[in-house]
Amino acid sequence: MNSIKIPEFKSLFEEFKQSDEYVSRQNQTVFAPIARRIIEETLKNEPIKNENLTGLIQTLKWNTSDDNFDKYLSLNVKDKLAHDEISNAAYAIEEAGYTNAGKTAINKLTPTQLKEVKKFLSDAFSVATVPQAKNLTDRFDSLNIPEVKQGIYSPWLHYIKPEIFPIINNSHDVFRDWIEMDRKYSSCIEDFNELLKVTGEPHLGMLDTFAHRFKPDNSTTSINKVIEKLREKFPRIWRCADSYKWNDMRNSNLLTFDWLDESTDYRKMNLADLQRGQRAIRPWVNELKAGDLIFVMGKNNYNGICIAESEYDFSGPFLELTDSGEKPAVRVNYIHKLDTPANHNLETHNNPTTFATIDGYSFGLDNVVKFLYKKQPAAFAALQKICFDNINSSTMNTSSKNIILYGPPGTGKTYNSIDLAVSLANGTSSELHSENKIQFDILRKDGQIEFVTFHQNYSYEDFMVGLKPDVENEQLRFRPHRGIFYEIARRARENYLASKERIALAKTFDEAFNEKVNPFVVEGKDVSVEMASGIAFKITDVTDYAIHFKKPKGDSHHTLSIQTLQDIVEGRRKPPSGLSAYYNPFVDEIKELMKPTEGTKTEVQKNFVLVIDEINRANISKVFGELITLLEDDKRLGADNELKISLPNGEKDFGVPPNLFIIGTMNTADKSIALIDVALRRRFEFIGKYPEYKDLNLDETSLLQKINATIYEKKKSADYLIGHAYFMKKLSIENVLRSKVVPLLMEYFSGKTDIVSSIFEGSGWIVSYDSTLHNWKITEG
């Protein structure tokens, strides 16, 4: 199956959901349990005969007559009570089967073949997973039993397990060819189940009707829908050439072009005075806004598609172009890009301007989208995604730098925080969580992402700055401590300032310090520090907190604090008077080592992300202190209302840079949320995460929806719902209920076992408390 077409499929399926055919099939689904019962009773015949399989075809076809249905139902279902129950149920719903089989009868199967068919259908009732379903059908197909091929048996399997087995017949061939699906039934099982996840449907019945009605020209409708949606979603759509510098731009999140001059502040000049050849500068400076869509393509080549995240600013950021020097750039998020540009063969103006609206110079959004559909399907899929997946135009899907994912337990808040963190840090993220997790770990190692879980004892000293006991010293004393927020804010600030000033980033204190002492620590070489007098003192040991050294004359029982050394280097304190002769030369050497080496590239602005899991578990006022104000967008460094503060450790002018993002997760079932809601509400954007059912099977979906409906009815709040994640751990439903769901419900309803038991009434599961053994009895029934 061609996964690139899945977004287009999703768009077409959403359109199909508005049709009368969709509603009609939904009404038909009430017949599925009846069909399952007919098959179940038919398999009780011993031995099963050709006429019994004929009976399945005749009772389950969509246009069967009443006489025909009665005749074959009596033939297949010998038990009178079962027969009457099925007959009454079938006539009560006034619905029949889904398909018209390619055969009207089964006539030629031998007793051995009939036995295999019976075993095949019987085994289908116990299938619980897609791999099991594939193995079952592969084995049966290998027997090559005549007359019972996938067009005949797939509706029977579907009625038995509609959430696993698709209906497949010749009417689906056009759709299967379009999406490049293998004709083998076991392959169709896997592919249709992947498509089922995309639709969010509880079973495969709707996909049967969709595939049955599919026409190739539906794709043309999809193209027009994308064009219409793009114009609706993006008021400004641009085309920007790459100035033949794609190699410089493709690996960055910056976009610029050759005509721009880093020494000219275009905001302060009359752009009408620009030369005719520089007409692209006017819309770039005056009209391009964050959130605009940009097709990166020149007269001949297509490179990629991105969304602007900033607009022109004389102070940067800047991107260095080969042979052209630094150019003022805008930050962008690529939704698609090529390593090597592709020829688009679109007829354009002889010399199209470097930057202009997409409809200028004979390009045209319609022409570009049609080209991408035919020649760059991955790019077309990316456009569909931003059109139909409810994704906002910015990278982070939010307008705030401070975000809280909130919702009841088990709804994927922490899971989604990883994807969001990668998207913010990299400017883009994969659709696969597993790939994002790999990137997340890399970015953590590089210091661009940090992750922390709050708890009741978490403090300002842990988060920002404070003192902690020095466990290495025999006597009780304290050493300065810098918390996780302080450190990531420092790294983000250094990156922001260096990129703004267009300079290379200096080495960190740790990097410079390690460069100085590593010859001693790693290689055992002598390392000394020359003092102002020209005499040197020699390092004798380096621990986590101290440098031991030997004076030029005297013993070696002398130490310098590494933390004090760093504080002096970074300007937070002066050297202790008694040891200044030793600290000062060491400080000078470290500062020299921190300077960027020759040839180091200019720093490019990056985004830094701090993820705070369970943010409402700590006392927010205590942990954040004055940071609550500094986090606001307009109070950050470089903003209109920039604020800086003095920290308790004496550091002056501490501010939060604009390239630092905060993601928090909050469990709404924990009512300590009320203590922090007022403090956070104005500073954070809250994004709700609630139960989703698209990745659950039919039984799990039905059960969870029933549980949550009852919880909502009793609690009058969505804060206490049960999340879908508990059902996605490959545990049996009984284990999930026993180990996850029931304990949560006991918390929600203050240990009242009768209320917890009542939650499951009508769900298909009986949950009762044994007051003698003091445990829960959980059975399906």
Side-chain angles (χ1 to χ4, degrees), residues 404 406 615-616 618 620-621 628 666 668 670-686 719:
I404 286 182
Y406 73 98
I615 192 171
N616 55 316
I620 292 298
S621 297
I628 284 290
M666 179 179 288
T668 55
D670 181 352
K671 285 300 137 180
S672 61
I673 180 177
L675 299 175
I676 66 169
D677 194 40
V678 174
L680 290 187
R681 181 63 60 181
R682 193 164 60 83
R683 277 90 179 189
F684 281 78
E685 180 173 338
F686 284 69
D719 290 351

Side-chain angles (χ1 to χ4, degrees), residues 506-518:
K507 295 176 188 175
T508 66
F509 171 84
D510 288 339
E511 290 171 336
F513 179 76
N514 289 334
E515 186 176 338
K516 174 65 180 176
V517 303
N518 273 354

Side-chain angles (χ1 to χ4, degrees), residues 23 56 183 197 369 446 609 752:
V23 176
L56 288 183
R183 294 295 179 88
K197 294 177 183 177
V369 172
D446 293 341
V609 184
K752 296 176 180 177

Side-chain angles (χ1 to χ4, degrees), residues 626-632 635-636 643 645 654-656:
E626 69 281 342
L627 296 179
I628 284 290
T629 300
L630 296 186
L631 289 178
E632 295 182 40
K635 306 296 192 304
R636 297 196 177 208
L643 283 180
I645 61 168
F654 177 87
V656 176

Side-chain angles (χ1 to χ4, degrees), residues 584-633:
N584 286 336
F586 213 147
V587 167
D588 292 340
E589 287 199 29
I590 295 298
K591 284 183 175 180
E592 190 63 32
L593 289 171
M594 288 175 68
K595 292 179 180 178
T597 55
E598 189 174 346
T600 304
K601 283 191 173 183
T602 301
E603 183 73 358
V604 175
Q605 185 170 318
K606 298 184 290 188
N607 288 339
F608 292 73
V609 184
L610 174 61
V611 181
I612 306 173
D613 201 28
E614 302 284 0
I615 192 171
N616 55 316
R617 297 295 295 167
N619 184 327
I620 292 298
S621 297
K622 178 182 176 184
V623 172
F624 276 80
E626 69 281 342
L627 296 179
I628 284 290
T629 300
L630 296 186
L631 289 178
E632 295 182 40
D633 290 0

Side-chain angles (χ1 to χ4, degrees), residues 65-67 69-70 86-94:
S65 65
D66 290 349
D67 290 343
F69 183 83
D70 291 340
I86 293 171
S87 179
N88 291 336
Y91 282 109
I93 63 172
E94 298 183 353

Side-chain angles (χ1 to χ4, degrees), residues 514-558:
N514 289 334
E515 186 176 338
K516 174 65 180 176
V517 303
N518 273 354
F520 169 79
V521 174
V522 177
E523 304 172 37
K525 295 180 179 179
D526 287 344
V527 172
S528 58
V529 177
E530 185 175 343
M531 297 187 291
S533 62
I535 302 173
F537 62 86
K538 183 178 177 182
I539 294 176
T540 59
D541 192 16
V542 179
T543 68
D544 288 343
Y545 305 113
I547 307 151
H548 296 257
F549 69 94
K550 182 179 182 179
K551 292 182 178 180
K553 295 180 181 180
D555 57 33
S556 59
H557 300 296
H558 303 282

